[in-house]
Amino acid sequence: MKKVLGLALMAMALSACNSTASNSSSQANTGVAPANVISVKQALAAADDSYVTVEGTILNKVGDETYLFKDATGQIRVEIDDEVWAGQHVGSEGNQVRLSGEIDKDRNKTELDVKKLTVIKP
């Protein structure tokens, strides 16, 4: 009887370990990176497809869903799809926003493909 009880307890412990491992791996694959804010200068130097977060201001619209963004270290073009705005309004120039997304490097340009926009100071 003690052997059966011991095996049952071991099976439950292994089951709990597997459950914890699968939960942590599913959280790691959500596509959401921590909000470690870097500068535009650092974002411009980041590798293609890097997930970054920057804070600064949107200067103006320069194309369809494309904007010019700046912080104290420089400027970068950002692509913000309509659904990313999620009803948020940045308002006038100078309002602070946090942008998180993937760096997209082509031969002659680097852009930030924004996945999340947060107005931090309207």
Side-chain angles (χ1 to χ4, degrees):
M1 182 69 171
K2 287 183 181 180
K3 252 187 181 179
V4 173
L5 183 58
L7 288 174
L9 288 173
M10 189 183 307
M12 286 178 15
L14 286 173
S15 175
C17 288
N18 286 339
S19 173
T20 301
S22 68
N23 283 343
S24 64
S25 65
S26 66
Q27 289 172 357
N29 293 326
T30 61
V32 177
N36 294 330
V37 177
I38 65 171
S39 69
V40 167
K41 183 177 181 179
Q42 291 170 314
L44 288 167
D48 190 31
D49 296 329
S50 297
Y51 196 92
V52 301
T53 299
V54 293
E55 288 182 358
T57 59
I58 296 174
L59 295 176
N60 58 346
K61 187 172 185 169
V62 294
D64 183 39
E65 298 183 340
T66 305
Y67 302 82
L68 192 57
F69 176 86
K70 76 166 187 164
D71 72 0
T73 66
Q75 298 179 357
I76 188 171
R77 291 170 64 103
V78 296
E79 182 180 329
I80 307 173
D81 294 336
D82 291 336
E83 61 269 9
V84 172
W85 287 102
Q88 299 179 89
H89 298 284
V90 173
S92 63
E93 182 181 325
N95 292 341
Q96 292 287 310
V97 294
R98 179 178 298 125
L99 305 177
S100 298
E102 290 182 10
I103 294 294
D104 183 18
K105 289 192 178 238
D106 288 332
R107 266 190 241 183
N108 299 326
K109 67 177 181 168
T110 299
E111 287 186 349
L112 175 59
D113 183 9
V114 177
K115 305 297 183 192
K116 182 178 180 185
L117 178 147
T118 306
V119 177
I120 54 177
K121 185 178 171 188

Coordinates of all heavy atoms in Angstrom, one line a residue, residues 67-118:
Y67 N 4.8 57.6 -39.4 CA 5.0 58.8 -38.7 C 6.5 59.0 -38.3 O 7.2 58.0 -38.4 CB 4.2 58.7 -37.3 CG 2.7 58.5 -37.5 CD1 2.2 57.2 -37.7 CD2 1.8 59.6 -37.6 CE1 0.9 57.0 -37.9 CE2 0.5 59.3 -37.8 CZ 0.0 58.0 -38.0 OH -1.3 57.8 -38.2
L68 N 6.8 60.2 -38.0 CA 8.2 60.5 -37.6 C 8.1 60.7 -36.0 O 7.3 61.4 -35.5 CB 8.7 61.8 -38.2 CG 10.2 62.1 -38.0 CD1 11.0 61.0 -38.6 CD2 10.5 63.4 -38.8
F69 N 9.0 60.0 -35.4 CA 9.0 59.9 -33.9 C 10.4 60.4 -33.4 O 11.4 60.1 -34.1 CB 8.8 58.4 -33.5 CG 8.9 58.2 -32.0 CD1 7.8 58.4 -31.2 CD2 10.1 57.8 -31.4 CE1 7.9 58.2 -29.8 CE2 10.2 57.5 -30.1 CZ 9.1 57.7 -29.2
K70 N 10.4 61.1 -32.3 CA 11.7 61.5 -31.8 C 11.8 61.4 -30.3 O 10.8 61.4 -29.6 CB 12.0 63.0 -32.2 CG 11.2 64.0 -31.4 CD 11.7 65.4 -31.6 CE 11.0 66.3 -30.6 NZ 11.7 67.6 -30.5
D71 N 13.0 61.3 -29.8 CA 13.3 61.5 -28.4 C 14.6 62.4 -28.3 O 14.9 63.0 -29.4 CB 13.5 60.2 -27.6 CG 14.8 59.4 -28.0 OD1 15.6 59.9 -28.8 OD2 15.0 58.3 -27.5
A72 N 15.2 62.5 -27.2 CA 16.3 63.4 -27.1 C 17.6 63.0 -27.9 O 18.5 63.8 -28.1 CB 16.7 63.5 -25.6
T73 N 17.6 61.7 -28.3 CA 18.8 61.2 -29.0 C 18.6 61.1 -30.5 O 19.6 60.9 -31.2 CB 19.1 59.8 -28.5 OG1 18.1 58.9 -28.9 CG2 19.3 59.8 -27.0
G74 N 17.4 61.3 -31.0 CA 17.3 61.3 -32.5 C 15.8 61.0 -32.9 O 14.9 61.1 -32.1
Q75 N 15.7 60.7 -34.2 CA 14.4 60.5 -34.8 C 14.4 59.1 -35.6 O 15.4 58.7 -36.1 CB 14.1 61.6 -35.9 CG 14.0 62.9 -35.3 CD 13.7 64.0 -36.3 OE1 13.6 63.7 -37.5 NE2 13.6 65.2 -35.9
I76 N 13.2 58.5 -35.6 CA 13.0 57.3 -36.3 C 11.6 57.3 -36.9 O 10.7 57.8 -36.4 CB 13.2 56.1 -35.4 CG1 13.2 54.7 -36.2 CG2 12.2 56.0 -34.3 CD1 13.6 53.5 -35.3
R77 N 11.5 56.6 -38.1 CA 10.2 56.5 -38.7 C 9.5 55.3 -38.0 O 10.1 54.3 -37.7 CB 10.3 56.2 -40.2 CG 10.8 57.4 -41.0 CD 11.1 57.0 -42.4 NE 9.9 56.5 -43.2 CZ 9.3 57.3 -44.1 NH1 9.7 58.5 -44.3 NH2 8.2 56.7 -44.7
V78 N 8.2 55.5 -37.7 CA 7.4 54.4 -37.1 C 6.2 54.1 -37.9 O 5.6 55.0 -38.5 CB 7.1 54.8 -35.6 CG1 8.3 54.9 -34.8 CG2 6.2 56.0 -35.5
E79 N 5.9 52.8 -38.0 CA 4.6 52.4 -38.7 C 3.6 52.0 -37.6 O 3.9 51.1 -36.8 CB 4.9 51.3 -39.6 CG 3.6 50.9 -40.4 CD 3.9 49.7 -41.3 OE1 5.0 49.6 -41.8 OE2 3.0 48.9 -41.5
I80 N 2.5 52.7 -37.6 CA 1.5 52.4 -36.6 C 0.2 52.1 -37.3 O -0.5 53.0 -37.9 CB 1.3 53.6 -35.6 CG1 2.6 54.1 -35.0 CG2 0.3 53.3 -34.5 CD1 2.5 55.4 -34.2
D81 N -0.2 50.8 -37.3 CA -1.4 50.4 -37.9 C -2.6 51.0 -37.2 O -2.5 51.2 -36.0 CB -1.5 48.9 -38.0 CG -0.5 48.2 -38.9 OD1 0.0 48.9 -39.8 OD2 -0.2 47.1 -38.6
D82 N -3.7 51.2 -37.9 CA -4.9 51.8 -37.3 C -5.4 51.1 -36.1 O -5.8 51.7 -35.1 CB -6.0 51.9 -38.4 CG -5.7 52.8 -39.5 OD1 -4.9 53.8 -39.3 OD2 -6.3 52.7 -40.6
E83 N -5.3 49.8 -36.1 CA -5.8 49.0 -34.9 C -4.9 49.2 -33.7 O -5.4 49.0 -32.5 CB -6.0 47.5 -35.2 CG -4.8 46.8 -35.6 CD -4.6 46.8 -37.1 OE1 -5.3 47.5 -37.9 OE2 -3.7 46.0 -37.5
V84 N -3.7 49.6 -33.9 CA -2.8 49.8 -32.7 C -3.1 51.0 -32.0 O -3.0 51.1 -30.8 CB -1.3 49.9 -33.2 CG1 -0.3 50.3 -32.1 CG2 -0.9 48.5 -33.8
W85 N -3.7 52.0 -32.7 CA -4.1 53.3 -32.0 C -5.2 52.9 -30.9 O -5.2 53.6 -29.9 CB -4.7 54.3 -33.0 CG -3.6 54.9 -33.8 CD1 -3.3 54.6 -35.1 CD2 -2.7 56.0 -33.4 NE1 -2.3 55.4 -35.5 CE2 -1.9 56.3 -34.5 CE3 -2.6 56.7 -32.2 CZ2 -0.9 57.2 -34.5 CZ3 -1.6 57.7 -32.2 CH2 -0.8 57.9 -33.3
A86 N -6.0 52.0 -31.2 CA -7.0 51.5 -30.2 C -7.8 52.6 -29.6 O -8.1 52.7 -28.4 CB -6.4 50.6 -29.1
G87 N -8.2 53.6 -30.4 CA -9.0 54.7 -30.0 C -8.3 55.8 -29.2 O -8.9 56.7 -28.7
Q88 N -7.0 55.6 -29.0 CA -6.2 56.6 -28.3 C -5.9 57.8 -29.2 O -5.6 57.7 -30.3 CB -4.9 56.0 -27.8 CG -5.0 54.8 -26.8 CD -3.7 54.3 -26.4 OE1 -3.1 54.7 -25.4 NE2 -3.2 53.3 -27.2
H89 N -5.9 59.0 -28.6 CA -5.5 60.2 -29.3 C -4.3 60.8 -28.6 O -4.3 61.1 -27.4 CB -6.7 61.2 -29.3 CG -7.9 60.6 -29.9 ND1 -8.1 60.6 -31.3 CD2 -9.1 60.1 -29.4 CE1 -9.2 60.0 -31.6 NE2 -9.9 59.7 -30.5
V90 N -3.3 61.1 -29.5 CA -2.1 61.6 -28.9 C -2.2 63.1 -28.7 O -1.7 63.7 -27.8 CB -0.9 61.4 -29.9 CG1 0.4 62.1 -29.5 CG2 -0.6 59.9 -30.0
G91 N -3.0 63.8 -29.5 CA -3.3 65.2 -29.3 C -2.2 66.0 -30.0 O -1.7 65.6 -31.1
S92 N -1.8 67.1 -29.4 CA -0.8 68.0 -30.0 C 0.6 67.5 -29.9 O 0.9 66.6 -29.1 CB -0.9 69.4 -29.4 OG -0.6 69.3 -28.0
E93 N 1.5 68.1 -30.7 CA 2.9 67.7 -30.7 C 3.5 68.0 -29.3 O 3.1 68.9 -28.6 CB 3.7 68.6 -31.7 CG 5.1 68.3 -31.8 CD 5.9 69.1 -32.8 OE1 5.3 69.5 -33.8 OE2 7.0 69.4 -32.5
G94 N 4.3 67.1 -28.9 CA 4.9 67.3 -27.5 C 4.4 66.3 -26.5 O 4.9 66.2 -25.4
N95 N 3.3 65.7 -26.8 CA 2.7 64.7 -25.9 C 3.5 63.4 -25.9 O 3.9 62.9 -26.9 CB 1.3 64.4 -26.2 CG 0.3 65.6 -26.0 OD1 0.7 66.5 -25.3 ND2 -0.8 65.6 -26.6
Q96 N 3.8 62.9 -24.7 CA 4.7 61.8 -24.6 C 3.9 60.5 -24.8 O 2.8 60.3 -24.3 CB 5.3 61.7 -23.2 CG 6.2 62.8 -22.9 CD 7.6 62.6 -23.6 OE1 8.2 61.6 -23.5 NE2 8.0 63.6 -24.3
V97 N 4.6 59.6 -25.6 CA 4.0 58.3 -25.9 C 5.1 57.2 -25.7 O 6.3 57.5 -25.8 CB 3.4 58.1 -27.3 CG1 2.2 59.0 -27.5 CG2 4.5 58.4 -28.4
R98 N 4.7 56.0 -25.4 CA 5.6 54.8 -25.3 C 5.2 53.9 -26.5 O 4.0 53.5 -26.6 CB 5.4 54.1 -24.0 CG 6.3 52.9 -23.9 CD 6.2 52.2 -22.5 NE 6.6 53.1 -21.5 CZ 5.8 53.4 -20.4 NH1 4.6 52.9 -20.3 NH2 6.2 54.3 -19.5
L99 N 6.1 53.6 -27.3 CA 5.9 52.7 -28.5 C 6.7 51.4 -28.3 O 7.9 51.5 -28.0 CB 6.3 53.4 -29.8 CG 5.7 54.7 -30.1 CD1 6.3 55.3 -31.4 CD2 4.2 54.6 -30.2
S100 N 6.1 50.3 -28.5 CA 6.8 49.0 -28.4 C 6.5 48.3 -29.7 O 5.4 48.3 -30.2 CB 6.2 48.1 -27.3 OG 6.5 48.8 -26.0
G101 N 7.6 47.7 -30.3 CA 7.4 47.0 -31.5 C 8.7 46.4 -32.0 O 9.7 46.3 -31.3
E102 N 8.7 46.0 -33.3 CA 9.9 45.3 -33.9 C 10.6 46.3 -34.8 O 10.0 47.0 -35.6 CB 9.4 44.1 -34.7 CG 9.0 43.0 -33.9 CD 8.6 41.8 -34.7 OE1 8.9 41.7 -35.9 OE2 8.0 40.8 -34.1
I103 N 11.9 46.2 -34.8 CA 12.8 47.0 -35.7 C 12.7 46.3 -37.0 O 12.9 45.1 -37.1 CB 14.2 47.0 -35.1 CG1 14.3 47.8 -33.8 CG2 15.2 47.6 -36.2 CD1 14.0 49.3 -34.0
D104 N 12.5 47.1 -38.1 CA 12.5 46.7 -39.4 C 13.6 47.4 -40.2 O 13.5 48.6 -40.5 CB 11.1 46.9 -40.0 CG 11.0 46.4 -41.5 OD1 11.8 45.5 -41.8 OD2 10.1 46.8 -42.2
K105 N 14.6 46.6 -40.6 CA 15.8 47.2 -41.3 C 15.7 46.8 -42.7 O 15.6 45.7 -43.1 CB 17.1 46.8 -40.7 CG 17.4 47.4 -39.3 CD 18.8 47.2 -38.9 CE 19.0 47.9 -37.6 NZ 20.1 48.8 -37.6
D106 N 15.8 47.8 -43.6 CA 16.0 47.6 -45.0 C 17.3 48.2 -45.4 O 18.0 48.7 -44.5 CB 14.9 48.3 -45.8 CG 13.5 47.6 -45.7 OD1 13.5 46.4 -45.5 OD2 12.5 48.3 -45.8
R107 N 17.7 48.1 -46.6 CA 19.0 48.6 -47.0 C 19.3 50.0 -46.6 O 20.3 50.3 -46.0 CB 19.1 48.6 -48.6 CG 19.8 47.4 -49.1 CD 20.1 47.5 -50.5 NE 19.3 46.5 -51.2 CZ 19.4 46.3 -52.5 NH1 20.2 47.1 -53.2 NH2 18.7 45.3 -53.0
N108 N 18.4 51.0 -46.9 CA 18.6 52.4 -46.6 C 17.8 53.0 -45.5 O 17.9 54.2 -45.3 CB 18.4 53.2 -47.9 CG 19.3 52.7 -49.0 OD1 20.5 52.3 -48.8 ND2 18.8 52.8 -50.2
K109 N 17.0 52.2 -44.8 CA 16.2 52.8 -43.7 C 16.0 51.8 -42.6 O 16.0 50.6 -42.8 CB 14.9 53.3 -44.3 CG 14.0 52.2 -44.8 CD 12.6 52.7 -45.2 CE 11.8 51.6 -45.7 NZ 10.4 51.9 -45.9
T110 N 15.7 52.4 -41.4 CA 15.3 51.6 -40.3 C 14.0 52.2 -39.8 O 13.9 53.4 -39.6 CB 16.4 51.7 -39.2 OG1 17.6 51.1 -39.7 CG2 16.0 50.9 -37.9
E111 N 13.0 51.3 -39.5 CA 11.7 51.7 -39.0 C 11.4 50.9 -37.8 O 11.9 49.8 -37.6 CB 10.6 51.5 -40.0 CG 10.6 52.5 -41.2 CD 9.4 52.4 -42.1 OE1 8.6 51.4 -41.9 OE2 9.2 53.2 -42.9
L112 N 10.4 51.4 -37.0 CA 9.9 50.6 -35.9 C 8.4 50.3 -36.3 O 7.6 51.2 -36.5 CB 9.9 51.5 -34.6 CG 9.3 50.8 -33.4 CD1 10.0 49.5 -33.0 CD2 9.3 51.8 -32.2
D113 N 8.2 49.0 -36.4 CA 6.8 48.5 -36.6 C 6.1 48.4 -35.3 O 6.4 47.4 -34.5 CB 6.9 47.1 -37.4 CG 5.5 46.6 -37.7 OD1 4.5 47.4 -37.6 OD2 5.4 45.5 -38.2
V114 N 5.3 49.3 -35.0 CA 4.7 49.4 -33.6 C 3.6 48.4 -33.4 O 2.7 48.3 -34.2 CB 4.1 50.9 -33.4 CG1 3.5 51.0 -32.0 CG2 5.3 51.9 -33.5
K115 N 3.7 47.7 -32.3 CA 2.7 46.7 -31.9 C 1.9 47.2 -30.8 O 0.7 46.7 -30.6 CB 3.4 45.4 -31.5 CG 4.4 44.8 -32.5 CD 3.6 44.4 -33.7 CE 4.6 43.7 -34.7 NZ 4.0 43.6 -36.0
K116 N 2.4 48.1 -30.0 CA 1.7 48.7 -28.8 C 2.0 50.2 -28.7 O 3.2 50.5 -28.7 CB 2.0 47.9 -27.6 CG 1.2 48.4 -26.4 CD 1.5 47.6 -25.1 CE 0.8 48.1 -23.9 NZ 1.1 47.4 -22.7
L117 N 1.0 51.0 -28.5 CA 1.1 52.4 -28.3 C 0.4 52.8 -27.0 O -0.7 52.4 -26.8 CB 0.5 53.2 -29.5 CG 0.6 54.7 -29.4 CD1 0.7 55.3 -30.8 CD2 -0.7 55.3 -28.7
T118 N 1.2 53.5 -26.1 CA 0.6 54.0 -24.9 C 0.8 55.5 -24.7 O 2.0 55.9 -24.8 CB 1.2 53.2 -23.7 OG1 1.1 51.8 -23.9 CG2 0.5 53.6 -22.4

